[in-house]
Amino acid sequence: MRQLTLLLFILFFTLGHSQGVDSLVGNNKDLSVGLVLSGGGAKGLAHIGVLKAIEQAGVRIDYIGGTSTGAIVGALYASGYTATQLDEMFKAVDFSKLIQDEVPRRAKTFYEKDESIKYALTLPFDGFKIAFPTGLSKGQNIYNLFSKLTMHVNDFRDFSKLPIPFFCVATNAENGEMVLLENGYLPRAVSASGALPTLFSPVVIDDMILIDGGVVNNYPVDELRAKGIDIIIGVDVQDDIKKKKDLTSALDVVLQINNYNTYKQMEAKKKKTDIYIKPNIDMFSVVSFDDANTIVQSGLEAALKVKEKLDSVAQQQHRPIKRKPVPQNKEEIFIKQIVIQGNKQYTDAYILGKLKIKTPATVHFSSFNEGVNNLSATENFDDIDYRFIKDASNQFTVSFKVRESSSNTLLRLGVHYDPLYKTAALLNVTRKRVLTNNDIASLDVIVGDNLRYNFNYYIDKGFYWSLGFNSSYNFFDKNVSLDFVENDLNTISGFPVNKIDLQYSDFTNQLYAETLFNRDFLFGAGIEHKYLKYLSETIGTDVNNVPRTVFENTNYYSALGYLKYDTFDNVFFPKEGFVFHGDAQFYLFSDGSNRDFEPFTIFKVKVGHAKTIFENFTGVFASEAGFKIGSTITKSLDFFLGGYGFKEINNILPFYGYEALSLRGNTYLKVSYTLDYEVVKNHHISLFTNIANVDDALFESDQWLKRIPHSGVGVGYGMDTFLGPLELKYAYSPEREVGELYVRVGFIF
């Protein structure tokens, strides 16, 4: 009798803990159902398809546990979104931008816009030692998106109080232990659970450095069972152990190492899962986001194979599903104040300047996210955590908690080629917090066919007046027409040459102050010293009997002012945006070979507009003009047009159809239009044209309206790469009946 009782007890205990679906048929108990969602990168989109089948069957989910992508999908579903809503949301996401933390250009400050078009590679360089970042991305875009999508539940600190109770899993990077995240701030917890090593930077919560939960527990079935759940539905989107032929990248190797542990664990975990669903997605990788539709469909198809079991579970659930619709996300919120914590070296004004937010104000979410990403892109903060706190009047306080980076030195590299400066390699050292907390010093040393440098020191005061000092030296050697120097010669008769070899050097120092207003406009003013020298060893002999002619050897002193507005999404291949640059330079006096100097002023203005006409076709219109007021004696700072692809200095400007420095005058008017077609991503074919009128005192008569003496039309190919643009353009000038080929490689510096 004792043995029979023991046998019955063991049998009852075993059945009670396996809790198979079939064993519960006929039980009048209202079944509780838990859903465990594994991690798997892009493969985790299959969870959405499974959720669709679960909803079709009418199964009520009572608890969700997830890891990594499973945590992202699970948290959104637990927040009240339906499977269909999740499908629509993920289809609208550009995952490449989301993962890379790409900061839209228009969101950057003007200083950072200038910096972003010079460097191909940036590395930490503290103590003169090259280091590498903890992740390719900080996951800021994901955090921004998740914060917006979960605003309706951001008051829930206990995740079990969400519309569907939820938890997720992360890994303590310090000791390798699992961390169960079931309270706190939901976007923060989910970011930690999905912080895949090497791809995303770790997330700090309660002084713990957390990384992807899949490292220790990619399928938290035991933790879900501990919640007292009757039936567990599990969705497994993990990678199996890869064969040698499939290990083709560093990411593959990292994932393979992690898979050793999870693969062994899954045999036991499958047995603890009542309804186990394994979508057929072996052909996809963790970054196959472009195949989102197919992956979602695979999840749906896999779940439909167990439809009978899902229907059976739904029939045994007596309590109806109660899901309140998620309030529609507003695109704008009223922010009454921003509170900043954790900043010691960077002031509130500096942070608010990067965010481009002055409170109280109604702020569009996209503008807010751009500001946060711009703050992140400064690399001055290892972590940016923020939370929206709503008051009774539906106004928000945004609480920022930042963790400043201990790194303050960067090494930056770049390469370039254009027909004027020729080959160039750039080595930059940037040092932050040199004299004050908000300053930055940057030195470019450029070697190649022409030696150059650029030094910039900038004190960033955000919305207040920022101060800067710039010193640069530029040099190039080029054959130019005698027309270029005819005003610097007493006579050109007797020279049996059409071109001379010109050595042109410019040494400039500027001290300036600038400030933002209306969020997107930059106004600045300053003083400048310029030492300009150009000579030719082709003709003449100087006073020291050296075979050369020095055309210009003068120091110029001036005051300057400028106004800028720039919303182009890309400098080189813009698709949207508007640009306005206007500046005035007042040349007051000089010292050197220009003994006849008299004061004069040069005004320049440029406007441009880019608009996508229809898919992949973009039109870019630009118009610019410049003129001189005052003395016309000094010719060395006139406008020189021609060429393409070089850094603009001293009114030396590009113009299709002509060589660089071909056209000269103290007044010019130029109009251009480019039609760009992006054949495939980052590959562009363009048709372009430009016209110009360049002469002295051009606007003093109406002749500039009656004729267009200079024009060029052409075709080009361009590719957008991490090194910068690679461009090949051919332009033909009808009036010259000559074509010009332009090649540009890399960013402009």
Side-chain angles (χ1 to χ4, degrees):
M1 185 66 181
R2 181 181 299 174
Q3 291 176 340
L4 179 60
T5 301
L6 181 61
L7 181 61
L8 290 174
F9 175 79
I10 293 174
L11 182 61
F12 175 79
F13 182 84
T14 303
L15 290 175
H17 280 264
S18 65
Q19 296 275 10
V21 177
D22 296 336
S23 66
L24 292 168
V25 174
N27 192 333
N28 289 326
K29 178 184 177 182
D30 180 27
L31 295 183
S32 61
V33 177
L35 178 65
V36 58
L37 304 175
S38 80
K43 294 185 176 187
L45 297 175
H47 295 319
I48 298 172
V50 173
L51 287 170
K52 286 185 175 183
I54 288 174
E55 288 182 352
Q56 291 173 11
V59 175
R60 186 192 71 239
I61 300 297
D62 299 295
Y63 223 116
I64 300 175
T67 300
S68 196
T69 315
I72 294 173
V73 175
L76 290 173
Y77 196 72
S79 299
Y81 290 99
T82 66
T84 299
Q85 288 174 318
L86 293 180
D87 194 16
E88 292 173 352
M89 284 191 298
F90 280 95
K91 284 179 180 177
V93 169
D94 185 334
F95 285 98
S96 62
K97 291 183 179 180
L98 192 71
I99 293 173
Q100 294 173 20
D101 276 351
E102 183 176 325
V103 180
R105 183 176 178 273
R106 64 165 295 162
K108 299 176 181 178
T109 64
F110 283 88
Y111 179 86
E112 286 152 357
K113 286 174 182 175
D114 292 339
E115 293 289 285
S116 67
I117 59 171
K118 293 199 294 185
Y119 309 115
L121 180 64
T122 299
L123 296 170
F125 194 54
D126 297 283
F128 297 98
K129 295 180 180 178
I130 295 177
F132 293 91
T134 55
L136 297 177
S137 168
K138 294 181 180 179
Q140 194 67 55
N141 275 337
I142 296 175
Y143 187 82
N144 294 345
L145 177 62
F146 210 86
S147 294
K148 176 185 176 183
L149 294 176
T150 58
M151 281 195 67
H152 62 290
V153 294
N154 65 1
D155 292 335
F156 291 86
R157 292 295 178 262
D158 182 352
F159 301 162
S160 68
K161 304 299 183 183
L162 290 169
I164 299 176
F166 169 80
F167 70 82
C168 60
V169 171
T171 303
N172 189 324
E174 186 176 8
N175 54 29
E177 294 181 356
M178 185 193 76
V179 178
L180 193 65
L181 299 171
E182 46 191 352
N183 54 65
Y185 189 56
L186 187 60
R188 191 75 173 165
V190 170
S191 295
S193 182
L196 181 66
T198 72
L199 183 58
F200 294 111
S201 298
V203 175
V204 177
I205 297 179
D206 296 335
D207 291 329
M208 294 183 294
I209 300 175
L210 302 182
I211 58 175
D212 195 296
V215 173
V216 291
N217 189 352
N218 206 29
Y219 189 85
V221 63
D222 292 323
E223 290 71 23
L224 187 58
R225 181 71 75 183
K227 301 298 181 181
I229 299 299
D230 297 320
I231 296 293
I232 290 183
I233 302 171
V235 188
D236 181 6
V237 296
Q238 303 171 86
D239 276 328
D240 293 328
I241 299 299
K242 292 181 179 293
K243 303 295 183 182
K244 180 172 64 175
K245 63 181 180 64
D246 297 320
L247 297 173
T248 58
S249 69
L251 184 60
D252 289 335
V253 174
V254 170
L255 294 172
Q256 179 84 329
I257 294 171
N258 185 57
N259 287 343
Y260 295 147
N261 183 44
T262 59
Y263 186 76
K264 293 177 181 178
Q265 293 177 350
M266 278 310 298
E267 289 304 315
K269 291 185 175 184
K270 286 180 189 177
K271 299 175 182 178
K272 300 175 182 178
T273 306
D274 301 297
I275 302 177
Y276 177 74
I277 301 172
K278 177 77 171 176
N280 181 21
I281 48 177
D282 291 339
M283 69 292 294
F284 303 109
S285 72
V286 294
V287 292
S288 296
F289 292 103
D290 290 339
D291 299 302
N293 291 340
T294 306
I295 295 174
V296 171
Q297 183 62 28
S298 297
L300 176 60
E301 292 172 357
L304 290 177
K305 292 179 181 179
V306 293
K307 184 178 183 303
E308 291 185 3
K309 291 185 177 181
L310 294 176
D311 290 340
S312 177
V313 169
Q315 292 170 6
Q316 297 178 75
Q317 289 185 304
H318 309 314
R319 186 163 47 88
I321 299 173
K322 294 181 180 180
R323 292 177 66 86
K324 294 182 180 179
V326 175
Q328 184 175 3
N329 283 308
K330 296 181 179 179
E331 293 302 318
E332 292 182 340
I333 58 172
F334 184 85
I335 300 177
K336 65 178 182 180
Q337 65 175 336
I338 294 177
V339 179
I340 303 170
Q341 297 177 303
N343 56 319
K344 299 177 181 178
Q345 298 174 359
Y346 295 97
T347 64
D348 287 3
Y350 172 86
I351 293 174
L352 292 172
K354 298 300 179 184
L355 293 172
K356 296 183 181 180
I357 297 175
K358 284 186 176 181
T359 57
T362 298
V363 180
H364 198 282
F365 258 109
S366 62
S367 298
F368 178 83
N369 291 343
E370 287 177 356
V372 173
N373 283 352
N374 185 43
L375 183 65
S376 177
T378 64
E379 300 295 334
N380 293 328
F381 302 92
D382 287 336
D383 191 24
I384 301 171
D385 182 17
Y386 64 86
R387 305 180 184 191
F388 294 100
I389 303 171
K390 185 169 64 173
D391 62 18
S393 58
N394 286 325
Q395 296 180 352
F396 289 88
T397 293
V398 186
S399 176
F400 275 86
K401 185 175 182 180
V402 298
R403 183 162 52 90
E404 295 173 336
S405 172
S406 59
S407 175
N408 64 354
T409 306
L410 300 173
L411 177 68
R412 297 175 172 180
L413 305 172
V415 294
H416 180 78
Y417 172 82
D418 69 68
L420 183 60
Y421 286 104
K422 304 294 191 298
T423 60
L426 181 151
L427 176 66
N428 168 274
V429 176
T430 297
R431 176 84 177 185
K432 303 175 182 179
R433 304 189 296 275
V434 179
L435 301 178
T436 71
N437 285 339
N438 294 351
D439 70 359
I440 182 169
S442 174
L443 175 63
D444 294 332
V445 177
I446 303 163
V447 297
D449 287 314
N450 298 290
L451 182 65
R452 296 177 283 149
Y453 87 84
N454 184 69
F455 172 76
N456 201 56
Y457 177 75
Y458 192 70
I459 302 175
D460 194 334
K461 293 290 187 178
F463 281 112
Y464 301 104
W465 282 91
S466 299
L467 301 176
F469 170 75
N470 178 263
S471 177
S472 64
Y473 174 76
N474 289 279
F475 177 87
F476 61 80
D477 187 337
K478 177 174 172 46
N479 285 324
V480 299
S481 168
L482 276 181
D483 293 341
F484 182 86
V485 295
E486 65 177 345
N487 295 289
D488 302 302
L489 294 171
N490 294 325
T491 176
I492 63 171
S493 61
F495 290 109
V497 292
N498 295 318
K499 287 190 174 183
I500 61 172
D501 181 68
L502 186 74
Q503 297 178 25
Y504 187 102
S505 62
D506 170 272
F507 174 59
T508 299
N509 299 289
Q510 288 183 343
L511 182 64
Y512 60 94
E514 59 186 25
T515 185
L516 282 174
F517 66 95
N518 286 346
R519 187 178 174 91
D520 291 316
F521 286 90
L522 180 73
F523 172 73
I527 56 176
E528 177 185 275
H529 158 254
K530 180 182 294 294
Y531 172 57
L532 188 60
K533 180 178 182 179
Y534 54 87
L535 59 88
S536 175
E537 297 177 350
T538 306
I539 57 176
T541 302
D542 69 9
V543 294
N544 297 317
N545 206 32
V546 177
R548 66 178 185 176
T549 298
V550 178
F551 302 106
E552 174 67 286
N553 187 19
T554 305
N555 291 283
Y556 293 97
Y557 302 89
S558 64
L560 57 94
Y562 52 88
L563 178 65
K564 297 181 180 181
Y565 176 83
D566 187 353
T567 60
F568 268 12
D569 57 349
N570 187 297
V571 173
F572 307 108
F573 305 103
K575 293 184 177 180
E576 298 289 342
F578 184 83
V579 64
F580 172 86
H581 287 182
D583 65 77
Q585 194 130 10
F586 310 93
Y587 290 91
L588 304 174
F589 55 93
S590 72
D591 175 37
S593 63
N594 187 359
R595 295 183 178 87
D596 298 325
F597 174 86
E598 294 178 359
F600 62 92
T601 301
I602 291 179
F603 292 93
K604 287 189 296 185
V605 62
K606 177 181 179 179
V607 294
H609 179 62
K611 180 68 176 179
T612 298
I613 303 169
F614 50 91
E615 187 176 4
N616 295 334
F617 273 98
T618 302
V620 183
F621 171 82
S623 178
E624 54 188 285
F627 58 93
K628 179 188 289 187
I629 294 178
S631 173
T632 59
I633 295 174
T634 300
K635 298 291 185 179
S636 53
L637 291 165
D638 282 357
F639 300 101
F640 302 97
L641 272 63
Y644 176 76
F646 52 84
K647 175 185 177 182
E648 299 178 12
I649 63 166
N650 292 344
N651 305 322
I652 298 175
L653 308 169
F655 186 74
Y656 297 123
Y658 288 76
E659 283 189 55
L661 296 95
S662 294
L663 306 174
R664 177 176 187 165
N666 64 23
T667 312
Y668 87 102
L669 178 65
K670 172 187 167 185
V671 177
S672 65
Y673 188 79
T674 299
L675 183 63
D676 181 278
Y677 175 58
E678 189 172 17
V679 185
V680 294
K681 188 174 182 180
N682 296 327
H683 292 263
H684 300 257
I685 292 177
S686 61
L687 299 174
F688 51 84
T689 183
N690 58 192
I691 57 175
N693 209 332
V694 187
D695 208 338
D696 290 337
L698 186 64
F699 299 146
E700 291 184 4
S701 69
D702 61 356
Q703 293 301 309
W704 65 278
L705 291 171
K706 295 180 179 179
R707 67 186 186 95
I708 300 173
H710 311 293
S711 63
V713 295
V715 61
Y717 165 76
M719 180 169 62
D720 204 358
T721 75
F722 79 96
L723 291 174
L726 306 180
E727 291 185 281
L728 181 66
K729 293 192 173 188
Y730 176 80
Y732 177 78
S733 172
E735 61 273 7
R736 295 176 63 218
E737 298 183 348
V738 174
E740 296 288 341
L741 184 66
Y742 309 114
V743 178
R744 175 168 72 182
V745 178
F747 292 116
I748 296 177
F749 50 78

